[in-house]
Amino acid sequence: MTLGAKDAEPMPGQRKRRRQQRDEMQRTAARFAPEAGRWEVLFETQDESEWRDHIHHLRATDTQIDWTAVRIDTFCGRLVQPTTYRLSLFVPTTPEPQPVQGSINN
């Protein structure tokens, strides 16, 4: 009797790998959740060569950008609209400062 694909045991390490992937996806979802901040557009164009040049230039010169918090969108055009390329950076919401206890405002 042969076992089907559904009946076979998982490969060694597969459960651990899947659990790690799931945990990473949950951390990413929480990091970029709507209440955690907003996406700010850094650059947008419909010219692909301009798009590639700008990304290359930013990667080479701008050390302030956290590339793990960058989103690259390509809005595919059809006959009506051309393709649009957009680079967005996630800007976390900064918590409002808590008032200092014991201070008196007159």
Side-chain angles (χ1 to χ4, degrees):
M1 177 176 172
T2 9
L3 295 175
K6 291 183 180 179
D7 299 328
E9 290 293 319
M11 296 291 290
Q14 191 172 16
R15 283 191 185 120
K16 179 180 177 183
R17 185 171 44 256
R18 284 184 181 167
R19 185 176 55 248
Q20 288 172 337
Q21 290 171 342
R22 186 189 65 235
D23 293 346
E24 179 63 28
M25 286 176 24
Q26 289 174 343
R27 281 191 299 274
T28 300
R31 179 180 177 197
F32 299 124
E35 61 273 2
R38 69 187 189 296
W39 289 99
E40 185 175 293
V41 176
L42 296 178
F43 182 71
E44 185 175 66
T45 185
Q46 294 176 348
D47 181 356
E48 187 174 2
S49 62
E50 180 184 13
W51 166 252
R52 291 179 190 273
D53 291 343
H54 189 78
I55 297 292
H56 180 63
H57 176 75
L58 280 178
R59 285 187 184 268
T61 62
D62 196 337
T63 59
Q64 299 299 314
I65 293 178
D66 175 10
W67 289 97
T68 63
V70 169
R71 185 173 75 188
I72 296 174
D73 298 310
T74 303
F75 301 103
C76 295
R78 297 287 185 254
L79 297 174
V80 179
Q81 294 180 326
T83 301
T84 301
Y85 306 92
R86 181 184 293 167
L87 177 71
S88 303
L89 176 66
F90 188 78
V91 180
T93 305
T94 55
E96 295 183 21
Q98 299 295 325
V100 179
Q101 292 182 347
S103 64
I104 301 173
N105 293 337
N106 291 351

